[in-house]
Amino acid sequence: MAEAKADVPLIPTSSLRNLPDFKKSIKLKYVKLGYHYLITHGMYLFLSPLVVVMAVQLSTFSLKDLYDLWEHLQYNLLSVIICSALLVFLSTVYFLTRPCPVYLVNFSCYKPEESRKCTKKIFMDQSQMTGTFMEENLQFQRKILERSGLGDSTYLPEALLNIPPNPSMKEARKEAETVMFGAIDELFAKTAVKPKDIGILIVNCSLFNPTPSLSAMVVNRYKLRGNIVSYNLGGMGCSAGLLSISLAKELLQVHPNSYALVISMENITLNWYFGNDRSKLVSNCLFRMGGAAILLSNKHSDRRRSKYQLLHTVRTHKGADDKCLGCVTQEEDSTGKVGVTLSKDLMAVAGDALKTNITTLGPLVLPMSEQLLFFATLVGKKLFKMKVKPYIPNFKLAFEHFCIHAGGRAVLDELEKNLQLSDWHMEPSRMTLYRFGNTSSSSLWYELAYTEAKGRIKKGDRTWQIAFGSGFKCNSAVWKALRTINPAKEKNPWMDEIHKFPVDVPKVSTI
């Protein structure tokens, strides 16, 4: 028998062409979904046979067997008493040390009057009429605006829309009162909570810290009670809103049967930069007027009417690093004009802070299947020196909704890429940036309001709020929906125009 030639394939080429390409025919995403389901429900799959065996065994018990068991326990009364006492003791310790649940009863976002609207053209006209900006810096601001992701319906305070602008302490107080009181009035109307019921008050505003404080202004306006636990947070950047939520959560653990009122805002009037340092001009193009008021409760009776329960807060502070500390700084330029400098290292610093934050948050929220993949990749890379890419956990398995601080288009693009999110997940953040601009620490609440207005919040859904701020900080909060939100019953700044969104936001929008 003649030997087959070495260069002739054992299977004819025509047959090879008919064979399926398994790498393409098998959809690996379904394999991963199957793996995720198996690991997530592994405990139930393991215990199910044991439960069946126990049920079968118990079904064979007769009345005589049960009587014999009772007789046996009577003769071992001491053991029964000790076991019962131990069970009662452990149950008592558990219920006494268990953290008190914190509920988000409701929240409101301030929507300024139509007369405060500032189109990009109005912004450029106002900048030109001030007469303080050089022509090249006017063109620089124009380019920033065209690529910012902001639309033509954002808002600026009255003092900056006047011709000429007249920023002053009086006008700054006027803006603060308008935003704070507008949001609080709406919140009290929604919740029917009386001002005297508020036990904890936290106000955060990074760049405007008058005396008396903003929190004192709120106490005076609503005649809050004299023993109120009051805080005024300043200089903590755009992530201060979640810092306020974290502080409120901790205070609610030690003040039973209490309401906490949190107000997140920024003040634009006294923080407009009229100089020609380009690193300070970016803030002018992005920051806009806005604010939010949030009502938290630790009362069990409020669970039924509350929207969300706070599951986790994770705070990351990178201020020990000089580069992180100096990437967002309020300072004077060479002519003595004060502005906020944004460093070129901002995106790199934010990425590092995000990495640290999600390393802490991941084990709290990710399913076991994702944690095992991450751990296996880490062991392979560090221990066995395998050349594998770091595994990026799929946070879409942990959360249904994402509220990412609308700091700017570049920030949202970077997080979309790093967290592998879809356009649908990014929609609330991008539309908030387009419609309201960067409203600092309150932007997260405009995003959650957008999600509610779209009718996307279902009972049991988890929402991840994540924000970045000077210092440098990255903070997260995780909420679980206690009920399905019916947009027809909601009142928020999106409701009368939600049908217009989402809109296409071009990468460059010519003014």
Side-chain angles (χ1 to χ4, degrees):
M1 188 175 186
E3 293 183 0
K5 293 183 180 179
D7 57 345
V8 177
L10 294 177
I11 302 176
T13 306
S14 58
S15 299
L16 287 173
R17 288 174 182 168
N18 294 329
L19 290 175
D21 186 342
F22 291 103
K23 289 184 179 179
K24 293 182 180 178
S25 62
I26 298 176
K27 298 197 180 212
L28 295 179
K29 68 176 182 178
Y30 295 122
V31 175
K32 187 174 180 181
L33 284 174
Y35 158 78
H36 163 67
Y37 184 86
L38 179 64
I39 298 298
T40 303
H41 300 88
M43 183 62 70
Y44 301 106
L45 296 174
F46 174 75
L47 291 177
S48 295
L50 295 179
V51 172
V52 172
V53 170
M54 291 177 63
V56 171
Q57 186 67 30
L58 289 173
S59 66
T60 62
F61 272 41
S62 63
L63 290 176
K64 185 177 182 304
D65 294 328
L66 294 175
Y67 179 78
D68 291 342
L69 180 61
W70 173 250
E71 287 289 323
H72 177 73
L73 290 176
Q74 283 184 321
Y75 288 113
N76 293 273
L77 186 60
L78 181 62
S79 299
V80 173
I81 293 174
I82 293 175
C83 289
S84 300
L86 181 61
L87 182 62
V88 171
F89 173 75
L90 292 176
S91 300
T92 304
V93 170
Y94 170 75
F95 283 107
L96 289 177
T97 59
R98 184 180 61 170
C100 180
V102 175
Y103 306 114
L104 191 159
V105 180
N106 215 325
F107 67 97
S108 64
C109 300
Y110 176 69
K111 187 175 184 178
E113 300 173 356
E114 287 295 305
S115 59
R116 302 287 177 268
K117 273 192 178 179
C118 177
T119 66
K120 287 179 281 189
K121 185 179 185 306
I122 291 176
F123 177 94
M124 290 307 305
D125 290 344
Q126 289 289 104
S127 297
Q128 191 167 13
M129 284 187 287
T130 60
T132 62
F133 301 112
M134 295 186 294
E135 181 60 32
E136 55 266 33
N137 283 335
L138 286 172
Q139 295 306 316
F140 172 75
Q141 291 183 78
R142 181 185 296 275
K143 289 181 180 179
I144 295 294
L145 273 180
E146 290 176 341
R147 295 162 173 78
S148 65
L150 273 69
D152 281 326
S153 298
T154 59
Y155 302 94
L156 282 178
E158 182 181 1
L160 297 179
L161 291 175
N162 289 335
I163 302 175
N166 61 325
S168 63
M169 179 64 76
K170 179 181 178 181
E171 289 295 326
R173 284 182 178 274
K174 182 179 177 181
E175 180 196 349
E177 291 174 352
T178 301
V179 173
M180 289 193 305
F181 300 160
I184 296 172
D185 287 345
E186 183 179 309
L187 182 63
F188 282 157
K190 283 182 176 181
T191 59
V193 170
K194 298 177 181 178
K196 291 291 185 182
D197 294 333
I198 304 298
I200 299 166
L201 172 66
I202 303 171
V203 181
N204 69 265
C205 183
S206 187
L207 296 176
F208 181 57
N209 295 286
T211 300
S213 66
L214 297 173
S215 58
M217 292 163 62
V218 174
V219 172
N220 177 262
R221 166 64 180 260
Y222 296 96
K223 309 305 177 188
L224 303 183
R225 62 199 200 198
N227 65 342
I228 191 167
V229 180
S230 174
Y231 292 88
N232 196 98
L233 306 183
M236 306 194 79
C238 299
S239 67
L242 294 186
L243 287 174
S244 298
I245 294 296
S246 178
L247 175 59
K249 180 189 75 171
E250 293 169 6
L251 290 171
L252 287 170
Q253 299 302 317
V254 295
H255 293 276
N257 204 38
S258 296
Y259 284 115
L261 175 61
V262 176
I263 300 142
S264 293
M265 57 171 290
E266 192 51 83
N267 192 283
I268 309 296
T269 300
L270 279 184
N271 296 291
W272 201 256
Y273 176 63
F274 290 97
N276 283 282
D277 185 339
R278 291 194 175 185
S279 63
K280 297 178 175 62
L281 286 172
V282 176
S283 297
N284 285 10
C285 300
L286 297 177
F287 283 89
R288 293 295 184 266
M289 184 180 182
I294 304 99
L295 183 67
L296 302 176
S297 172
N298 59 9
K299 301 180 180 182
H300 290 286
S301 58
D302 279 325
R303 179 184 174 89
R304 183 181 297 273
R305 70 171 183 144
S306 295
K307 286 185 171 181
Y308 306 94
Q309 180 176 345
L310 181 60
L311 299 183
H312 307 288
T313 55
V314 176
R315 300 168 55 174
T316 300
H317 204 307
K318 308 292 286 187
D321 185 293
D322 292 341
K323 185 171 70 173
C324 296
L325 180 67
C327 67
V328 181
T329 310
Q330 186 182 27
E331 59 187 4
E332 297 172 328
D333 64 11
S334 58
T335 64
K337 294 177 180 176
V338 178
V340 176
T341 301
L342 301 181
S343 166
K344 293 180 179 179
D345 297 323
L346 180 59
M347 293 304 298
V349 167
D352 184 53
L354 173 66
K355 180 181 177 181
T356 304
N357 189 269
I358 64 177
T359 299
T360 305
L361 181 67
L364 299 175
V365 298
L366 286 170
M368 186 58 67
S369 57
E370 288 297 293
Q371 295 190 48
L372 287 175
L373 287 174
F374 177 80
F375 180 73
T377 305
L378 187 66
V379 169
K381 187 175 182 180
K382 299 293 185 182
L383 192 61
F384 298 103
K385 307 300 180 183
M386 296 172 62
K387 294 182 179 180
V388 293
K389 293 181 180 180
Y391 181 72
I392 301 175
N394 184 3
F395 279 93
K396 295 189 290 292
L397 295 174
F399 307 107
E400 284 74 33
H401 309 286
F402 296 80
C403 294
I404 300 168
H405 168 54
R409 185 171 202 147
V411 175
L412 297 181
D413 288 346
E414 196 65 23
L415 264 73
E416 178 180 7
K417 176 183 175 183
N418 289 339
L419 296 177
Q420 299 177 353
L421 301 179
S422 66
D423 291 340
W424 188 87
H425 291 113
M426 296 298 299
E427 187 181 309
S429 300
R430 293 196 185 279
M431 293 304 102
T432 295
L433 181 64
Y434 177 84
R435 177 63 181 84
F436 293 98
N438 181 350
T439 60
S440 190
S441 56
S442 66
S443 68
L444 298 173
W445 301 103
Y446 286 90
E447 294 164 17
L448 186 57
Y450 178 92
T451 308
E452 290 185 353
K454 280 291 184 181
R456 297 178 179 178
I457 301 293
K458 309 299 180 186
K459 184 178 180 179
D461 282 1
R462 297 152 298 175
T463 301
W464 180 17
Q465 290 182 321
I466 183 166
F468 304 90
S470 58
F472 190 84
K473 297 178 286 293
C474 176
N475 301 315
S476 293
V478 178
W479 304 90
K480 180 180 179 181
L482 297 177
R483 56 185 170 90
T484 297
I485 306 298
N486 182 0
K489 297 181 180 179
E490 288 301 307
K491 182 182 179 183
N492 71 45
W494 295 97
M495 292 311 303
D496 58 348
E497 53 186 290
I498 192 63
H499 60 280
K500 301 177 183 177
F501 294 93
V503 299
D504 178 56
V505 183
K507 290 188 177 180
V508 179
S509 179
T510 305
I511 301 173

